[in-house]
Amino acid sequence: MAIVLGPNRYGKAEVRVARVTRTTATDHELCDLDVSVSLSGDLADTHLRGDNARVVPTDTMRAVVYAFAQDRPLPAIEEFGLRLARHFVDAHASIDTARVRLLEYPWVRIAGTHGPHPHAWTRAAGVRRAGVVRGPEGVEVCSGLADVSVLKSTGSEFHGFSTDRYTTLAPTRDRILATTVRAGWRHRRDGAAPADWDASFRAARDTLLRTFAETHSLSLQQTLYTMGEAVLAEQEHLAEVRLTLPNHHHVEVDLSPFGQPNPGEVYQVTDRPYGLIEGTVRRGDAAPALADLPWE
Amino acid sequence: MAIVLGPNRYGKAEVRVARVTRTTATDHELCDLDVSVSLSGDLADTHLRGDNARVVPTDTMRAVVYAFAQDRPLPAIEEFGLRLARHFVDAHASIDTARVRLLEYPWVRIAGTHGPHPHAWTRAAGVRRAGVVRGPEGVEVCSGLADVSVLKSTGSEFHGFSTDRYTTLAPTRDRILATTVRAGWRHRRDGAAPADWDASFRAARDTLLRTFAETHSLSLQQTLYTMGEAVLAEQEHLAEVRLTLPNHHHVEVDLSPFGQPNPGEVYQVTDRPYGLIEGTVRRGDAAPALADLPWE
Amino acid sequence: MAIVLGPNRYGKAEVRVARVTRTTATDHELCDLDVSVSLSGDLADTHLRGDNARVVPTDTMRAVVYAFAQDRPLPAIEEFGLRLARHFVDAHASIDTARVRLLEYPWVRIAGTHGPHPHAWTRAAGVRRAGVVRGPEGVEVCSGLADVSVLKSTGSEFHGFSTDRYTTLAPTRDRILATTVRAGWRHRRDGAAPADWDASFRAARDTLLRTFAETHSLSLQQTLYTMGEAVLAEQEHLAEVRLTLPNHHHVEVDLSPFGQPNPGEVYQVTDRPYGLIEGTVRRGDAAPALADLPWE
Amino acid sequence: MAIVLGPNRYGKAEVRVARVTRTTATDHELCDLDVSVSLSGDLADTHLRGDNARVVPTDTMRAVVYAFAQDRPLPAIEEFGLRLARHFVDAHASIDTARVRLLEYPWVRIAGTHGPHPHAWTRAAGVRRAGVVRGPEGVEVCSGLADVSVLKSTGSEFHGFSTDRYTTLAPTRDRILATTVRAGWRHRRDGAAPADWDASFRAARDTLLRTFAETHSLSLQQTLYTMGEAVLAEQEHLAEVRLTLPNHHHVEVDLSPFGQPNPGEVYQVTDRPYGLIEGTVRRGDAAPALADLPWE
């Protein structure tokens, strides 16, 4: 049977751009982004014959990211991604789908002698993310975060699980629960976009953290579901939340050989292996996500 | 509208296992693996109510990986993944789908005074991969490799591409083409498995490298397609090849300010941004891949 | 001429320990450490003949770190390092020098419904460090930080530099200055230790950041010196500050091909190569650091 | 007491350069380097007053690396480092010391249909290193390697060690010994340089690996010493060998809960903590290394 070209796409990944907005000569805003663009469409000619007439060079994608980064005012990353995706689909007849993935690194103002400094920052933890796809089936946007590590030192149990001949794990009524949150939430295509992308992001982030902290956990799966549900309950325009939660195991160290009891005080922090809990919480009536949405 | 649990799975990731086979007291074989298991099924209870009765602890998955790693003889990673997946689906009524992702790190014998050493090795470059899914729709296997960096110092052109107001890239008739190959190839579900997984892997790897080297490239897309096509052409039991090829740009350094022409001799090696070419080559009559197949 | 054993040491690196202090059942403190111990002394026998009678196994060092982590109250990392170093030198006649390197990962309380949560945290940016050496020449302590990224979007110039036939850099009166601070400050051996290690650390960190922000920079070297000088000027018990400052170049993107001027708005963030400025600021009368002090 | 400037240096780090030598249009050689330059001298003015008249911009160092990379023939990295160091000290009166650190990534020819391909390569494992210092006290060169992982599955014991109340480690007569070799060897300043840097490197690398394999190990310290001694014994012009050997612990998995004995077959590969053995082997009559030699 014939060998054929299957699904394909190409783009420029990890375009690093810092955008300074000079409100006055010394009073600035800073936006620090990592933008990846990926396009697909009628690209058989370059794959099969090396004919590049329909290929927009990835170098051009890089240039567009930089040129559009000068938009005034620089919008939220979701809106910036929408502008970029629209440009590529509109400007090139051979391209039917554009995917844009954006990371934003948070910076906070350094505390100066007279308050927050007007043009000096230090990096804060965590990454804000957004993904946009524009294609024949429509336009879809997800927001999210990554690299947000959280830990609870009590209020987490794990017992009553299925056992078999390979079970050695002891049930526990009190353990450390620690994870690094990777979350994405998808905005409804049939509804209005949030009036304020930034406020929507902050609300979702704060809810995820607060819910992690305040949920008495019987399993990391339960915590995951509760976190996702809380975000959806607060923001009507969201259709679905995806969470990826590695379980960073903290093991109570056996200090009894040294004559020391260890009542939940000293823990070994392990690297590998780790549990990995992945799940989705969604509205029952939400349309499925577009296949090309860059959640990752 | 009601908020509901969507797709979910959980498992143990990156179980690191070294398996020594002692042919004699001093004559050994070595296998060095990183195994990740992920299960899904009827897991609503733990998500919604923290009831873990149907949850196989990820610690148990870890134990099973180690216990099965003692199989004699230790099979190829594809077969090892099949055994693990079968175990989890068969042993637990609540689990309907098991995904296993395996990485194998290659070691070669150290050259000793009297030839290859019988029990001492050094790590070689690259990683062999396999992915297995066993679920209600059947069983599917993919093989692959990652972290295989390749470079051609000529025999690569890029011109005739689409231009617009954001184009500044110059066409070129001679450039360095460099990438780090990530490839996966899917075995047909309707056919016989390869008689020898190891031989199949080596053939695919050698073909990918040789084809990269010997294809006169007009675009990395063309190289990608040619590489995938060559693997399918040689192995009838394969249905599809997926390739992810970052384009590691090498830029000729402008030495003219120092009075030195630079006729394709000195290149700046760049990190970011990079092109990213992703594509699939498949048989026209092959059934689509199962949604849960762990290609990555 | 004879071949002989030269300087040597050995230890356990990267012991990861989380210490929970339970003020009440639900009101906790958290300390998250990475501790490395390295010992030296009369270790010729194991090197030359494989006689381990004087070797304290690195596994024992790991055990001691965990056992001592239960000290109540858990002290600042500098004091914790001093206790560990004293133990190894005192307990083992063959060991004359102990080096301890400690990293502390900062966690901040998650904002809950009713204020900062009593037992849930999220990781903040940056790492606190300490190094201790105890040997025949005495005891010495350094404190420090790492992975603290800072950026100024104006208030930085670079011009008047030496030029030659290889110079292509243009002088600038306004550039982004960005670095990731790695700093260590050494406490005087002849003076009193700070009354409060934590307060001393916070003061030094805040001064480093504030000075970076408020110094009008003519070179990163000048900024480095000013930062170190400010720390020494405020804390009499410090002898020396070491700073390692990579210069993360931010390059104004040329948008003129697209008809856009770029007045200090859009910058390409580069990875490699980077400038690397390393320097020491010290009191003129301070004794030199002990050779074995683990600054890194 | 006055605060003063202490030791300092600055440079350009991680200049990535690929050098293609075109023997014919299609028959090439490839050299892939990472070069870091660091200079010191009379640099007080820039630190204390921001006066850069004596500062050679790091951008100029980058340019020199690229310009010199065109030397024909391109020499071994040790010689390339010597040329760079000489340039900076000779060309700039304010600079008295130049340090150059070089990494070379090995590439091997891809196996083509008709033998090794003339212009296509794949990356091999490991990194070759060199360090050069040129200063008032003379010129010194070290060679080395890094990222070379090795493993022995038998022929390694560890027992007879010192025990105390914190000892829980069991002695063993048969364990896996695994490490990632980082080695540097220093060439005598008073002797002739090796006639062939490349041959010297290959001999040292092969000896390190062969000696690791063929030494029956009673401790990793003993293995370290034996490896260093073997290199010195073979190459008269070497003064000293430094080895940094992390001990990658492989732990026999307890399979007895599953009714499986585990006679040295299945091992857990651990990440952290790890043993860390550092030592030097040297000729008794060799002058000490220059303080500024970039071994790392």
Side-chain angles (χ1 to χ4, degrees), chain A residues 51-62:
Chain A
D51 175 344
N52 298 320
R54 291 183 170 128
V55 174
V56 183
T58 67
D59 186 74
T60 303
M61 303 180 204
R62 180 194 59 75

Side-chain angles (χ1 to χ4, degrees), chain D residues 158-205:
Chain D
F158 189 59
H159 49 76
F161 43 76
S162 176
T163 61
D164 68 6
R165 60 177 291 224
Y166 293 107
T167 309
T168 56
L169 186 73
T172 178
R173 300 282 166 173
D174 190 10
R175 64 171 182 175
I176 284 183
L177 187 66
T179 187
T180 300
V181 182
R182 182 176 188 85
W185 43 94
R186 183 164 62 93
H187 300 269
R188 300 181 77 121
R189 263 175 290 156
D190 54 358
D196 183 335
W197 294 103
D198 293 343
S200 170
F201 169 78
R202 286 191 302 265
R205 181 197 58 198

Side-chain angles (χ1 to χ4, degrees), chain C residues 29-234:
Chain C
E29 301 291 331
L30 173 68
C31 184
D32 184 19
L33 302 181
D34 178 313
V35 182
S36 299
V37 174
S38 189
L39 307 180
S40 47
D42 181 6
L43 294 163
D45 286 351
T46 185
H47 285 89
L48 303 182
R49 298 187 291 112
D51 176 343
N52 299 318
R54 291 182 170 129
V55 174
V56 183
T58 66
D59 187 73
T60 303
M61 303 180 203
R62 180 194 59 76
V64 170
V65 170
Y66 284 125
F68 279 43
Q70 210 178 27
D71 279 3
R72 300 184 184 87
L74 189 70
I77 54 175
E78 289 85 355
E79 174 63 26
F80 187 46
L82 284 164
R83 292 183 195 179
L84 289 168
R86 184 165 48 232
H87 166 79
F88 289 110
V89 172
D90 288 357
H92 299 280
S94 59
I95 301 304
D96 60 33
T97 304
R99 305 162 89 247
V100 185
R101 189 177 65 90
L102 307 101
L103 307 180
E104 179 174 0
Y105 302 107
W107 292 83
V108 295
R109 291 182 189 278
I110 292 175
T113 308
H114 308 293
H117 198 276
H119 57 257
W121 292 268
T122 185
R123 264 283 301 274
V127 178
R128 177 175 170 180
R129 302 186 302 133
V132 173
V133 63
R134 184 184 187 92
E137 297 175 80
V139 179
E140 192 153 50
V141 178
C142 60
S143 305
L145 54 77
D147 293 341
V148 174
S149 292
V150 292
L151 182 150
K152 289 180 66 169
S153 53
T154 191
S156 168
E157 313 184 20
F158 188 57
H159 48 78
F161 44 75
S162 176
T163 61
D164 67 5
R165 60 176 291 222
Y166 292 106
T167 309
T168 56
L169 186 73
T172 176
R173 300 281 166 172
D174 190 11
R175 63 171 182 175
I176 284 183
L177 187 66
T179 186
T180 299
V181 182
R182 182 176 188 87
W185 43 93
R186 183 164 62 91
H187 300 268
R188 299 180 76 121
R189 264 175 289 156
D190 54 358
D196 183 336
W197 294 104
D198 293 344
S200 170
F201 169 77
R202 285 192 302 266
R205 181 197 57 197
D206 293 352
T207 296
L208 287 170
L209 266 67
R210 191 183 59 247
T211 307
F212 171 83
E214 298 184 349
T215 301
H216 186 89
S217 178
L218 297 172
S219 68
L220 186 46
Q221 285 90 333
Q222 184 199 26
T223 294
L224 180 152
Y225 182 81
T226 309
M227 291 167 72
E229 185 184 38
V231 170
L232 290 183
E234 286 183 355

Side-chain angles (χ1 to χ4, degrees), chain D residues 151-296:
Chain D
L151 183 151
K152 289 181 66 170
S153 53
T154 191
S156 168
E157 313 185 21
F158 189 59
H159 49 76
F161 43 76
S162 176
T163 61
D164 68 6
R165 60 177 291 224
Y166 293 107
T167 309
T168 56
L169 186 73
T172 178
R173 300 282 166 173
D174 190 10
R175 64 171 182 175
I176 284 183
L177 187 66
T179 187
T180 300
V181 182
R182 182 176 188 85
W185 43 94
R186 183 164 62 93
H187 300 269
R188 300 181 77 121
R189 263 175 290 156
D190 54 358
D196 183 335
W197 294 103
D198 293 343
S200 170
F201 169 78
R202 286 191 302 265
R205 181 197 58 198
D206 292 350
T207 296
L208 287 169
L209 266 67
R210 191 184 59 247
T211 307
F212 170 84
E214 298 185 348
T215 301
H216 186 90
S217 179
L218 297 172
S219 68
L220 187 45
Q221 285 91 332
Q222 184 197 27
T223 295
L224 180 151
Y225 182 81
T226 309
M227 290 167 72
E229 185 184 39
V231 170
L232 290 183
E234 286 183 356
Q235 301 201 37
E236 277 297 319
H237 58 92
L238 296 180
E240 184 180 7
V241 179
R242 274 197 201 182
L243 287 152
T244 301
L245 301 181
N247 192 344
H248 301 312
H249 307 301
H250 285 61
V251 181
E252 278 189 23
V253 180
D254 179 8
L255 299 176
S256 63
F258 323 127
Q260 297 177 216
N262 182 13
E265 294 185 321
V266 178
Y267 294 84
Q268 178 191 1
V269 185
T270 66
D271 296 310
R272 297 195 294 184
Y274 53 93
L276 184 57
I277 316 297
E278 303 170 273
T280 301
V281 185
R282 60 185 181 82
R283 281 185 212 286
D285 64 346
L290 295 181
D292 288 313
L293 184 67
W295 289 85
E296 298 312 314

